[in-house]
Amino acid sequence: MTYVRVNYKWNYICLLVDLFNREIIGYSAGVHKNAELVFDAFATVHTDLNRIQMFHPDRGSEFNNQVIDEVLDVFHISRSLSLKGCSYGNAVAESTFKIFKSEFVLGRNFESLAKLKLELADYINWFNNFRIHSSFGYLSPKEFKASKL
């Protein structure tokens, strides 16, 4: 989860990243940093949630609560929390957010939440389908995944 400026106020973005190919499989944006934002990100996942084996969030209360517990229970997803104070426990997500902030967020102030959501959807489409990653032999996340299936 990270924050962005919308009309000069903080708003939040939640990204769900697939560790296999670093594809952003779920996302949401909203005014509050809470479980609803995480739930909304899960609602955008286009793959069968029963195929997800592990959810590896940080230790924030927005990830560890009854709402998210119910989602994980329904789809039989295990949770693996990072060690307290250990940034390496969630290194792929941290790396993705570094890229995301430098390419999408840096220095921007979105005029409205609706505009942020529209541009976020475009960015994620580009990130997943067109942005190449050196760690995948200069393939996009979707190309890399297709090459392994």
Side-chain angles (χ1 to χ4, degrees):
M1 199 160 314
T2 193
Y3 51 90
V4 297
R5 286 276 198 191
V6 175
N7 199 20
Y8 299 99
K9 296 178 183 170
W10 292 123
N11 279 230
Y12 301 91
I13 293 174
C14 179
L15 302 178
L16 302 177
V17 180
D18 187 333
L19 292 179
F20 173 72
N21 65 339
R22 298 185 184 183
E23 177 183 354
I24 298 171
I25 61 169
Y27 63 94
S28 61
V31 175
H32 302 289
K33 182 181 174 186
N34 57 18
E36 183 180 335
L37 192 66
V38 179
F39 182 88
D40 290 347
F42 271 103
T44 67
V45 174
H46 292 293
T47 189
D48 180 0
L49 288 173
N50 287 302
R51 297 186 67 212
I52 297 173
Q53 297 173 3
M54 182 73 62
F55 179 53
H56 190 76
D58 65 20
R59 298 176 93 54
S61 62
E62 60 276 4
F63 299 111
N64 193 12
N65 57 66
Q66 185 176 353
V67 171
I68 302 308
D69 289 348
E70 289 175 6
V71 171
L72 300 179
D73 287 345
V74 165
F75 295 103
H76 310 289
I77 302 170
S78 298
R79 180 189 348 248
S80 171
L81 295 174
S82 301
L83 295 174
K84 191 172 186 176
C86 179
S87 60
Y88 298 110
N90 212 0
V92 171
E94 295 298 334
S95 175
T96 301
F97 273 114
K98 181 180 177 186
I99 292 166
F100 177 76
K101 287 178 181 182
S102 67
E103 291 178 348
F104 183 73
V105 176
L106 189 64
R108 297 189 67 190
N109 176 49
F110 297 89
E111 64 187 51
S112 67
L113 183 57
K115 180 78 168 162
L116 168 61
K117 288 179 178 182
L118 180 65
E119 290 190 36
L120 178 61
D122 284 343
Y123 174 81
I124 289 172
N125 178 58
W126 173 78
F127 183 91
N128 288 338
N129 293 292
F130 302 101
R131 187 186 189 282
I132 59 174
H133 296 253
S134 61
S135 58
F136 300 139
Y138 298 96
L139 298 173
S140 72
K142 292 249 179 138
E143 289 171 326
F144 178 76
K145 185 177 183 178
S147 74
K148 298 300 177 188
L149 295 178

